[in-house]
Amino acid sequence: MASESRRWRGRCCARGPGVTLGRVLLSRRERVVRSSRREKSRIEAGRGNVMVGLDEEEVSVIRNEVLTYAAANGLLMLAASGEVGLVHVPVSLLPAMAVPRKLFEEVRGLAEPFNALVERLAGDPGVIRETLAAAAKQDDFTKSLLDIYTRVLGGPRPDVARKNLAVNRSDYMMDEASQSLLQVELNTISSSFGAQSTVMAQMHKQVLGKFDFLSEGGSGGWFGGEALPDCLESCVPYEDTIGDIVQAFATAVAEYSKSRDSVDAGFDSKSAVVLMVVQDDERNIMDQQILEQELWKRHKVRMVRKTLKEIRDEAVLDGADGILRLASGQEVAVSYLRAGYSPMDYKTDAEWDARLTLEQSQAFKCPSIAYQLVGSKKVQQYLAEDGVLEKFLDSEEDCRNLRKCFASLWALDD
């Protein structure tokens, strides 16, 4: 679960191959007051002064630590098109957000009911079609997705539409007026940075623990006013998101292999792979490669990277049993889409053919096309209507808690 805030406190950023020092994103009530080079910067805010507390020498020390850590631990991406090599991803030198702990715990507790909501919605074709019918008349991309969904449900194996694996990410922003976190969107397809965000949390913990000057004098006040030694471990929440994601892949592969073993005595479980569907111009390869490496390291499960075009040219779907095989003979147990979420990913009919092939296969889909449709803005708007959540969730408390984080949404024709 990722969260963003409209108010950022004392953020020092390193971006691209260069570094921007002391960059602060401000709300309307805040302005930066910069002092001389040897003095410390302050943010003058409507609710009092917050000390950034770092001079140029200290920032330089942290910058060098962060850039070294990024290079050594995979916080990297391909250089811009036409360039050669890797650059570090945009990264803050210190934890950049001050989110009240109570709010953070509240939205973290919403992960399970949100996932249950998506699963139940994805199992209701009538609601999906009705909710997106108007959008499909105006938007060719939505129409094409719905067409594939309809073809799968009307095909020889409609049950494969329910073979779902979810790696979802819910994004929030701080609403200062109500002092609450409101949901921006629930990402059900290509939910990226699960790997690199885990590494970044580890990096920030290391930086906070390594440099004493961060907790000396006024410097400790930069992080929400708390003294760093007392909150170091809890101020930067850490979850092994990498482990959670690859465990989910491994579990799905094991279920696929179990099902195949029951009908084919000659099936070799080593042939079952996770197929990562990628863009042909992908720059964010390290966030993906970390998952590939950890999946093998922890579970001895292979991951293969293919574009939609390569899948159309190389993969073969067995019409009798729905088994999807690659040219290597490997069977696709899980299709993991890090592409396919944008109209730009479907340049020709070949890409649409590949998507249909994935959806008609016996592989677990991460996500299925139903999950992708459920993640659309029109469905988000539908869920915010009075009484809708109660149709899909049994717990009144879950419905109340989910509704609290909904931002208001309006159709363009309202």
Side-chain angles (χ1 to χ4, degrees), residues 33-45:
V33 179
R34 298 193 182 277
S35 57
S36 66
R37 293 182 60 188
R38 298 301 301 168
E39 294 178 349
K40 301 185 181 228
S41 302
R42 291 177 180 270
I43 302 175
E44 194 171 274

Side-chain angles (χ1 to χ4, degrees), residues 375-393:
S376 66
K377 283 296 182 185
K378 289 300 294 183
V379 173
Q380 185 180 0
Q381 181 188 10
Y382 166 70
L383 291 174
E385 294 176 2
D386 292 341
V388 171
L389 289 179
E390 287 76 7
K391 297 178 181 179
F392 301 98
L393 296 176

Side-chain angles (χ1 to χ4, degrees), residues 162-167 243-261 267 269-275 295 299-303 323 331-337 361-368:
R162 303 293 296 129
K163 299 191 72 170
N164 299 315
L165 174 62
V167 177
D244 291 342
I245 294 173
V246 299
Q247 176 64 62
F249 290 153
T251 300
V253 171
E255 286 296 315
Y256 176 90
S257 297
K258 180 180 177 181
S259 175
R260 290 284 289 122
D261 275 331
F267 171 73
S269 61
K270 293 181 180 179
S271 69
V273 300
V274 176
L275 173 62
L295 180 60
H299 302 286
K300 295 299 182 285
V301 173
R302 293 176 174 84
M303 181 178 284
I323 302 303
E331 293 189 16
V332 179
V334 177
S335 60
Y336 174 41
L337 273 69
S361 77
Q362 292 286 358
F364 285 93
K365 291 86 178 168
C366 185
S368 67

Side-chain angles (χ1 to χ4, degrees), residues 228-244:
L228 284 174
D230 297 331
C231 72
L232 177 58
E233 293 302 317
S234 60
C235 277
V236 183
Y238 169 72
E239 302 287 345
D240 183 16
T241 308
I242 296 172
D244 291 342

Side-chain angles (χ1 to χ4, degrees), residues 159-215:
D159 57 301
V160 299
R162 303 293 296 129
K163 299 191 72 170
N164 299 315
L165 174 62
V167 177
N168 299 331
R169 191 192 73 225
S170 192
D171 297 339
Y172 299 87
M173 292 189 73
M174 173 71 80
D175 179 62
E176 289 192 332
S178 63
Q179 283 296 290
S180 60
L181 287 172
L182 301 182
Q183 187 186 60
V184 178
E185 61 183 350
L186 178 61
N187 294 274
T188 57
I189 182 171
S190 189
S191 301
S192 59
F193 296 110
Q196 288 185 325
S197 64
T198 305
V199 177
M200 195 172 298
Q202 293 170 319
M203 179 193 74
H204 282 149
K205 279 184 175 291
Q206 177 167 309
V207 169
L208 292 175
K210 188 171 183 178
F211 301 111
D212 292 339
F213 59 76
L214 286 174
S215 57

Side-chain angles (χ1 to χ4, degrees), residues 112-148:
E112 187 171 333
F114 262 128
N115 287 340
L117 178 62
V118 171
E119 171 62 18
R120 293 184 183 182
L121 270 167
D124 194 327
V127 168
I128 292 175
R129 288 173 176 144
E130 181 180 353
T131 305
L132 295 174
K137 292 179 181 179
Q138 303 294 327
D139 179 56
D140 290 339
F141 183 61
T142 302
K143 180 181 183 301
S144 296
L145 292 175
L146 279 172
D147 287 346
I148 288 180

